[in-house]
């Protein structure tokens, strides 16, 4: 046998057997089969053995959630699934109806807003790892998530699936999520890239945004997921930017993602987000899913052959309209994905609904719950003294793991807040319940039925009267209200119509607070809501959508088994007028005549969230980074590693002391203020943080490090990051509105 062909045979063997590759050096997280030379050679080998039809087959879907492998060469089919809070139950091959499996009930992890509210990157890793294990059990090779679109307005229907308003916080949380999952050989598909901040008309919105806002606000979390997390998948968003849909966009995909950031994974279209053959070929899309099938867009059944990147692309190549240059590049990326996932023989066994996953869900949930207000230290509930607690509200009983769109789950179990409190207080305190209001009584979503019957005939007035009557004489009244995951609430497909609480909840809360001064309001949502009754309700808790363990996690915080340590990942405005996009009339954009396109100019630019509040000198209802505890902390003695720096690398040390009488965790936050700049800059920006757990009386020095990028802005003229020499101030504290320590330093 000739030397050359022997080599080819060896390579084929390698491709077929998926031999182990040496992982590159990785701290903490092992990444199997990364882009080592071995894989690249095997990709080229496989590529030259594939027929044109086989190549076309791997770049588009063959069912709702799968694409073809190359069975002749030993590559199995590729399965993906939503994402991002648990593994979605299986649907039929070509329909959105449930497949009716009995092995697809999962652990529902807390929504990503809650993960972000933990400000604990270790929990991001635990989240990715736990979900990755569930995915492996279920035979899924890629999870459609996490989502890191920026929280631009409290009306955003999918904010609950994202990680808040701050690009730095979202970056720090997304990287370990991706790494934790991919360490198991399960790809993350980070979504929705990019500028997908509207649900209403999401296929038609063309975002107009400055380069600075794009680079400084909307892209960093994606950038970190790619350059630090080494995400293997990115999902293009439905909307347009520069008049091109983001599933095939020259600027965002070819230029920024693949060229500037060196992304070597696959760009997957959002389901039905592909619109044009030529753009799909040339503008960075690698795998097409969901187009023109009955579901997101209407079409034929089993229309996969009609996809843009299917037979019409194949035909166009055969007719010489395209060479195979772009195709081969797409296939290389898909093969790389195969070697990292389906062909990865190092993958561990999967596990579904393990104790460890429930523990993870519980920990993420209780660390993310935010104590917003606690007048007179009403919380925690005094279990020894209390005799009767009244729980009120539909959200105390409503299952929240179903609904909301593609992130809807079939949870093996979901502990409601009422059950959580009842179980925790059994034999000690009587826990009474009143419905209080009627929201969404629907008990099924996407064919998953909760089995709950929440129908209620009584009027709002009658329900309020009943709750008020029961509230009198109760030791505590705990209202669980907020939003739910039905249309126009926290739900895919539409944005909220108002920031106010729906279903007459304001009247209910006001009436209960008047009837009983020991009223606690727990808000279940992924979004801020107006709180006109804030001054009358002593204790307010943000409870998010926190999945399977919701009731237990909420009970553990409310009764004080754990000290709350969550911090808001977004600014909680008093009203929409305090949000840049709304104050400037820049949401939801205007129809461009005769085109079916809505132009939405992000007029607020870089001034999103606290950046806007600072600029307008607003006092929000609750500030970004805010979150109380049952203990107290003192942050003091801020020191800079040096007074001047020439490379921008600096570290700051600060002392944190637990001055209260119980163990708790505090998040030390560092913001940078640029004293003088040639361009307008936000007053301050989060650039480092660390969560520290301390026993009563314990104190610790915490060191926070920044680099040159932390001092930089996006220089639109030169198209690059720029750190200007001059003075800066590091502001340190435990919330964006509580930064008592400051130190000045200079960049030379
Ligand atoms: C959503 C994606 C999701 C996909 C598949 C789309 O409608 O925007 O986030 O992953 O459907 O379910």
């Amino acid at each position: 046998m000739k030397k050359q062909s022997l080599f080819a045979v060896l390579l084929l063997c390698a491709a077929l057997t998926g031999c182990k590759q040496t992982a590159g050096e990785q701290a903490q997280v092992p990444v199997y089969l990364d882009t080592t030379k071995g894989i690249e050679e095997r990709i080229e080998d496989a590529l030259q053995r594939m027929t044109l039809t086989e190549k076309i087959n791997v770049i588009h879907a063959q069912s709702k959630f799968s694409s073809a492998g190359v069975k002749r060469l030993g590559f199995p089919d590729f399965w993906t699934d939503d994402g991002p809070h648990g593994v979605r139950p299986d649907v039929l091959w070509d329909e959105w109806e449930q497949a009716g499996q009995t092995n697809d009930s999962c652990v529902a992890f807390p929504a990503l807003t809650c993960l972000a509210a933990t400000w604990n990157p270790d929990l991001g890793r635990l989240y990715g790892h736990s979900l990755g294990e569930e995915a492996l059990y279920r035979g899924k090779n890629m999870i459609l998530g996490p989502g890191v679109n920026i929280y631009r307005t409290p009306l955003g229907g999918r904010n609950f699936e994202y990680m808040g308003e701050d690009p730095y916080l979202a970056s720090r949380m997304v990287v370990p999520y991706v790494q934790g999952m991919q360490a198991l050989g399960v790809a993350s598909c980070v979504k929705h890239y990019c500028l997908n901040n509207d649900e209403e008309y999401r296929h038609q919105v063309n975002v107009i945004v400055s380069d600075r806002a794009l680079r400084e606000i909307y892209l960093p979390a994606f950038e970190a997921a790619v350059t630090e997390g080494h995400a293997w998948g990115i999902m293009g968003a439905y909307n347009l930017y520069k008049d091109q849909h983001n599933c095939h966009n020259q600027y965002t995909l070819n230029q920024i993602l693949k060229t500037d950031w060196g992304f070597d994974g696959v760009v997957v279209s959002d389901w039905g987000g592909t619109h044009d053959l030529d753009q799909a070929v040339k503008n960075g899309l690698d795998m097409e899913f969901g187009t023109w099938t009955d579901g997101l867009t209407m079409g034929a059944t089993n229309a996969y052959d009609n996809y843009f990147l299917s037979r019409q692309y194949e035909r166009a190549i055969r007719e010489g309209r395209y060479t195979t240059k772009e195709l081969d590049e797409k296939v290389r990326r898909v093969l790389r994905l195969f070697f990292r996932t389906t062909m990865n023989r190092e993958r561990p066994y999967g596990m579904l609904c393990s104790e460890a996953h429930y523990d993870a869900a519980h920990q993420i949930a209780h660390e993310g719950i935010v104590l917003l207000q606690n007048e007179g230290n009403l919380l925690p509930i005094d279990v020894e003294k209390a005799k009767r607690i009244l729980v009120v509200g539909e959200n105390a009983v409503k299952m929240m793991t179903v609904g909301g769109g593609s992130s809807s789950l079939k949870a093996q179990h979901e502990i409601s807040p009422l059950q959580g409190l009842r179980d925790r207080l059994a034999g000690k305190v009587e826990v009474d319940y009143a419905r209080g209001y009627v929201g969404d009584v629907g008990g099924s979503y996407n064919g998953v039925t909760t089995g709950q019957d929440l129908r209620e005939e009584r009027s709002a007035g009658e329900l309020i009267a009943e709750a008020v009557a029961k509230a009198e004489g109760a030791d505590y009244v705990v209202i669980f209200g907020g939003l739910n995951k039905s249309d126009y609430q926290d739900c895919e497909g539409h944005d909220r119509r108002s920031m106010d609480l729906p279903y007459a909840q304001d009247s209910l809360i006001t009436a209960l607070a008047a009837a009983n001064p020991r009223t606690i309001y727990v808000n279940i949502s992924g979004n801020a809501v107006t709180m006109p009754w804030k001054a009358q309700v002593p204790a307010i808790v943000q409870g998010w959508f926190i999945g399977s363990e919701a009731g237990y996690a909420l009970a553990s915080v409310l009764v004080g088994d754990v000290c709350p340590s969550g911090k808001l990942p977004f600014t909680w405005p008093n009203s929409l007028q305090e949000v840049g996009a709304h104050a400037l009339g820049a949401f939801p954009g205007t129809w461009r005549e005769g085109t079916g396109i809505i132009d939405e100019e992000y007029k607020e630019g870089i001034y999103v969230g606290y950046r806007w509040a600072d600029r307008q000198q607003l006092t929000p209802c609750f500030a970004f980074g805010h979150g109380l505890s049952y203990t107290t902390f003192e942050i003091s003695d801020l020191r800079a590693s040096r007074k001047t720096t020439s490379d921008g690398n600096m570290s700051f040390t600060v002392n944190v002391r637990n001055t209260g009488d119980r163990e708790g965790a505090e998040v030390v936050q560092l913001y940078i203020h640029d004293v003088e700049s040639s361009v307008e800059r936000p007053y301050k920006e989060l650039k480092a943080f660390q969560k520290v757990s301390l026993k009563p009386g314990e104190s610790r020095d915490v060191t926070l490090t920044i680099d040159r990028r932390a001092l930089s802005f996006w220089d639109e003229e030169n198209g690059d990051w720029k750190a200007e020499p001059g003075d800066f101030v590091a502001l340190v504290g435990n919330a964006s509105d509580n930064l008592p320590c400051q130190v000045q330093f200079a960049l030379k």
Side-chain angles (χ1 to χ4, degrees):
M1 197 184 271
K2 275 191 193 159
K3 236 185 174 179
Q4 239 180 349
S5 49
L6 175 66
F7 182 60
V9 169
L10 287 175
L11 284 177
L12 176 63
C13 290
L16 293 175
T17 57
C19 307
K20 186 184 168 195
Q21 301 297 314
T22 335
E25 272 217 345
Q26 287 279 329
Q28 293 170 11
V29 177
V31 175
Y32 307 117
L33 287 173
D34 207 342
T35 49
T36 57
K37 189 161 172 271
I39 285 188
E40 295 307 310
E41 280 177 2
R42 291 159 75 192
I43 290 169
E44 292 309 320
D45 176 55
L47 188 69
Q48 50 137 329
R49 289 163 201 282
M50 287 168 74
T51 63
L52 177 61
T53 303
E54 283 170 339
K55 288 180 184 177
I56 291 287
N57 286 350
V58 299
I59 61 164
H60 68 89
Q62 60 169 4
S63 77
K64 287 274 179 265
F65 286 99
S66 76
S67 55
V70 195
K71 290 170 189 129
R72 188 176 65 84
L73 296 180
F75 294 100
D77 287 349
F78 187 82
W79 282 88
T80 180
D81 209 354
D82 288 297
H85 305 143
V87 189
R88 177 176 176 158
D90 287 339
V91 296
L92 292 171
W93 183 261
D94 187 43
E95 281 158 55
W96 292 102
E97 272 74 57
Q98 292 295 298
Q101 315 278 28
T102 50
N103 63 349
D104 59 355
S105 302
C106 65
V107 173
F109 296 92
L112 294 188
T113 28
C114 176
L115 173 64
T118 67
W119 291 58
N120 185 347
D122 290 344
L123 293 184
R125 190 173 308 273
L126 182 64
Y127 197 126
H129 176 86
S130 310
L131 180 52
E133 283 191 340
E134 300 240 328
L136 276 176
Y137 177 91
R138 296 270 313 280
K140 312 299 180 191
N141 306 297
M142 178 162 72
I143 285 293
L144 304 172
V148 287
N149 293 90
I150 289 294
Y151 188 111
R152 179 174 175 243
T153 148
L155 299 192
R158 285 185 95 169
N159 281 342
F160 72 101
E161 286 187 66
Y162 304 141
M163 299 198 193
E165 75 182 27
D166 186 76
Y168 181 78
L169 175 64
S171 301
R172 291 333 343 129
M173 300 306 294
V174 69
V175 168
Y177 179 119
V178 169
Q179 291 174 333
M181 180 177 288
Q182 295 190 165
L184 302 169
V186 177
S188 288
C189 186
V190 184
K191 65 192 189 183
H192 306 91
Y193 182 77
C194 56
L195 297 165
N196 187 182
N197 308 101
D198 293 43
E199 278 306 292
E200 212 70 60
Y201 303 113
R202 55 186 176 168
H203 297 270
Q204 286 142 294
V205 170
N206 176 52
V207 174
I208 300 166
V209 64
S210 70
D211 283 356
R212 261 192 87 189
L214 180 70
R215 297 288 187 153
E216 292 183 25
I217 305 293
Y218 295 98
L219 292 191
F222 289 104
E223 181 181 4
V226 168
T227 60
E228 295 177 57
H230 302 292
W232 297 336
I234 286 280
M235 184 188 288
Y238 282 137
N239 56 290
L240 301 94
Y241 167 65
K242 296 202 183 200
D243 283 341
Q244 289 178 6
H245 280 97
N246 276 334
C247 290
H248 33 67
N249 190 304
Q250 162 62 21
Y251 312 98
T252 56
L253 297 176
N254 280 344
Q255 185 55 48
I256 298 177
L257 179 72
K258 292 186 171 175
T259 308
D260 297 357
W261 300 344
F263 176 67
D264 69 357
V266 292
V267 171
V268 175
S269 72
D270 199 347
W271 269 230
T274 313
H275 299 267
D276 178 88
L277 173 63
D278 198 49
Q279 291 190 23
V281 170
K282 293 178 181 159
N283 291 354
L285 178 64
D286 300 309
M287 291 178 103
E288 180 184 359
F289 278 85
T291 312
W292 204 242
T293 56
D294 184 15
L296 283 186
T297 47
M298 299 308 286
T301 22
N302 275 313
Y304 306 100
D305 281 350
N306 303 346
Y307 277 28
F308 294 99
L309 294 186
S310 184
R311 305 286 76 95
Q312 48 178 311
Y313 187 22
E314 184 174 353
R315 239 181 350 259
I317 290 175
R318 290 198 194 283
E319 288 165 7
R321 283 183 277 141
Y322 297 106
T323 67
T324 56
K325 178 171 161 270
E326 293 92 355
L327 175 65
D328 285 348
E329 184 48 26
K330 294 178 202 298
V331 175
R332 272 189 193 99
R333 288 171 182 271
V334 174
L335 290 172
R336 196 174 292 125
L337 181 69
F338 289 171
F339 281 115
R340 288 166 162 170
T341 57
T342 53
M343 298 296 283
N344 178 346
R345 293 293 183 273
E346 295 289 321
R347 294 207 292 192
Y349 295 110
M351 253 170 284
L352 192 69
C353 298
S354 71
E355 295 87 339
H357 296 175
Y358 280 112
D359 287 350
H362 189 291
Q363 195 187 348
I364 296 160
H366 81 65
E367 277 206 33
I369 292 168
V370 185
L371 179 60
L372 293 172
Q373 175 164 294
N374 197 17
E375 296 299 328
N377 291 334
L378 181 60
L379 284 171
I381 289 169
D382 189 335
V383 180
E384 301 310 319
K385 290 203 185 124
K387 292 204 171 47
R388 187 171 73 91
I389 293 177
L390 174 68
V391 170
V392 184
E394 183 173 287
N395 282 356
V397 294
K398 185 174 170 58
M399 273 185 78
M400 290 292 189
T401 52
V402 284
S406 55
S407 62
S408 182
L409 296 172
K410 182 164 114 190
Q412 189 194 45
H413 75 237
E414 177 178 343
I415 308 297
S416 72
L418 180 62
Q419 188 189 337
L421 276 172
R422 281 198 168 143
D423 287 0
R424 172 62 182 81
L425 299 174
K428 295 195 175 98
V429 185
E430 182 198 340
V431 181
D432 199 0
Y433 175 68
R435 176 70 175 266
Y437 70 92
V438 180
D440 168 30
V441 298
S444 95
Y445 191 82
N446 275 359
V448 175
T449 308
T450 65
Q452 288 190 301
D453 185 358
L454 295 177
R455 280 172 300 176
E456 170 62 69
E457 300 303 324
R458 288 171 292 172
S459 69
E462 286 170 317
L463 292 174
I464 293 177
E466 181 204 36
V468 166
K470 288 188 172 190
E472 279 155 21
D475 295 295
Y476 297 90
V477 176
V478 191
I479 309 167
F480 290 91
L483 309 179
N484 52 40
K485 291 186 178 170
S486 56
D487 275 352
Y488 299 100
Q489 303 283 314
D490 280 317
C491 187
E492 184 177 338
H494 296 288
D495 293 310
R496 296 168 68 200
R497 290 168 165 154
S498 136
M499 196 188 148
D500 297 340
L501 277 175
Y503 321 127
Q505 290 182 77
D506 285 338
S507 313
L508 171 73
I509 298 165
T510 311
L512 286 169
N516 191 323
R518 295 168 70 77
T519 292
I520 298 152
Y521 174 69
V522 184
N523 189 65
I524 305 296
S525 76
N527 261 317
V529 299
T530 56
M531 294 185 168
W533 33 259
K534 181 184 171 197
Q536 283 90 56
V537 178
I540 304 176
V541 174
Q542 176 57 20
W544 312 114
F545 298 110
I546 47 179
S548 287
E549 293 287 283
Y552 291 147
L554 284 162
S556 66
V557 169
L558 293 172
V559 306
D561 295 336
V562 295
C563 225
S565 63
K567 303 277 179 184
L568 283 180
F570 53 76
T571 305
W572 195 295
N574 292 291
S575 71
L576 282 184
Q577 276 316 302
E578 292 185 356
V579 178
H582 296 279
L584 300 174
F587 177 91
T590 41
W591 288 101
R592 198 192 300 170
E593 244 189 88
T595 59
I597 302 270
I598 300 179
D599 284 315
E600 184 163 343
E601 186 182 352
Y602 287 13
K603 293 184 186 154
E604 74 283 10
I606 53 177
Y607 296 101
V608 173
Y610 64 87
R611 291 162 169 85
W612 176 262
D614 281 349
R615 184 182 198 231
Q616 304 303 108
Q617 301 189 324
L618 301 168
T619 307
C621 189
F622 299 108
F624 172 79
H626 166 80
L628 305 172
S629 169
Y630 296 149
T631 185
T632 49
F633 297 93
E634 189 181 272
I635 298 178
S636 64
D637 196 17
L638 175 63
R639 291 144 276 159
S641 54
R642 43 201 150 132
K643 284 262 173 271
T644 57
T645 172
S646 46
D647 58 7
N649 293 334
M650 293 278 293
S651 56
F652 301 87
T653 303
V654 71
N655 189 266
V656 198
R657 177 182 294 276
N658 182 341
T659 50
D661 56 8
R662 44 177 307 165
E663 186 171 355
E666 183 57 295
V667 179
V668 184
Q669 306 170 29
L670 179 146
Y671 297 75
I672 294 288
H673 166 70
D674 189 353
V675 176
E676 207 190 320
S677 168
S678 63
V679 296
E680 224 190 288
R681 297 196 72 177
Y683 179 77
K684 62 174 187 285
E685 296 184 279
L686 180 74
K687 294 299 173 187
F689 64 86
Q690 197 176 314
K691 193 167 197 172
V692 259
S693 189
L694 295 170
K695 299 212 159 38
E698 190 184 349
S699 83
R700 199 179 305 159
D701 275 354
V702 170
T703 298
L704 302 161
T705 308
I706 61 163
D707 58 15
R708 192 179 185 86
R709 172 84 176 256
L711 306 177
S712 307
F713 59 86
W714 181 260
D715 178 6
E716 292 191 323
E717 245 164 65
N718 296 306
D720 203 354
W721 295 97
K722 182 174 185 181
E724 284 180 342
D727 290 339
F728 292 85
V729 182
L731 310 148
V732 177
N734 66 355
S736 67
D737 64 345
N738 183 33
L739 301 167
C741 304
Q742 310 196 350
V743 62
Q744 186 154 339
F745 63 96
L747 175 68
K748 274 196 170 172

